Amino acid sequence: ATGGKTYGVQIGAFGSQSVADAEFAKVAGSFGVAGRKSVQPVQKGGTTFYRTTVTGFGSKAEAEAMCAKLKASGKACFVKAG
């Protein structure tokens, strides 16, 4: 890893913590995700969304490979540093 930087793959922003947890579990189960779950509540227009990210990828390439697998199965995602 470069300078200890890690990357994550955001898999969505969901309407509740329980949906966020369920979506993470689906992705982890289907794709053998070894990363950790990060769920951040975000306020937008008076509504709370739960931004859900698979974290702990050691390189951008690893995160991009995971996102490519998700996209190939019809899921939306994007890579972010953090």
Side-chain angles (χ1 to χ4, degrees), residues 58-76:
S59 72
K60 189 173 184 181
E62 283 178 36
E64 286 172 341
M66 179 71 219
C67 194
K69 283 187 202 173
L70 292 170
K71 285 180 176 175
S73 74
K75 295 197 177 295

Side-chain angles (χ1 to χ4, degrees), residues 4 6-7 11 16 19 30 34-35 50 52 57 60 62-63 68-69 72 82:
T6 61
Y7 292 86
I11 59 170
S16 73
V19 173
S30 298
Y50 295 83
T52 307
F57 293 96
K60 189 173 184 181
E62 283 178 36
K69 283 187 202 173

Side-chain angles (χ1 to χ4, degrees), residues 12-56:
F14 305 102
S16 73
Q17 177 79 47
S18 60
V19 173
D21 291 343
E23 288 297 319
F24 179 85
K26 265 193 249 179
V27 167
S30 298
F31 298 95
V33 171
R36 294 180 303 279
K37 176 178 63 179
S38 167
V39 179
Q40 295 176 302
V42 179
Q43 291 283 327
K44 193 166 189 178
T47 304
T48 302
F49 293 96
Y50 295 83
R51 189 181 290 156
T52 307
T53 305
V54 180
T55 63

